[in-house]
């Protein structure tokens, strides 16, 4: 399962979530574990995460 990294726009907390691609695509919002805010953006790190699925 890929790990997705996020950064909170409110408190600048960086956190990562390990989600299946299906779960990632299903979820519209992600919550910051620190301030519980949902104003988070995806951060792309050096490793390659699978973001698309072809079946
Ligand atoms: Zn936060």
């Amino acid at each position: 399962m890929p790990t997705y990294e996020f950064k909170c726009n409110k408190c600048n907390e960086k956190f990562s979530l390990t989600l299946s691609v299906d779960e990632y695509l299903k979820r519209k919002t992600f919550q910051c574990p620190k301030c519980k805010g949902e104003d988070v953006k995806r951060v792309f790190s050096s490793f390659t995460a699978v973001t698309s699925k072809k079946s």
Side-chain angles (χ1 to χ4, degrees):
M1 265 199 279
T3 300
Y4 300 93
E5 289 191 39
F6 299 90
K7 186 165 174 260
C8 179
N9 289 323
K10 246 181 176 174
C11 66
N12 287 326
E13 174 81 353
K14 278 181 84 176
F15 59 98
S16 57
L17 297 170
T18 302
L19 300 164
S20 69
V21 175
D22 280 347
E23 197 178 344
Y24 174 74
L25 292 174
K26 261 191 284 179
R27 284 175 73 163
K28 295 281 182 276
T29 58
F30 299 91
Q31 196 177 51
C32 169
K34 196 175 173 185
C35 71
K36 308 296 182 194
E38 289 180 352
D39 187 12
V40 300
K41 68 176 177 188
R42 178 88 187 278
V43 173
F44 293 94
S45 51
S46 52
F47 76 95
T48 307
V50 180
T51 53
S52 63
K53 191 173 73 171
K54 288 175 183 157
S55 56

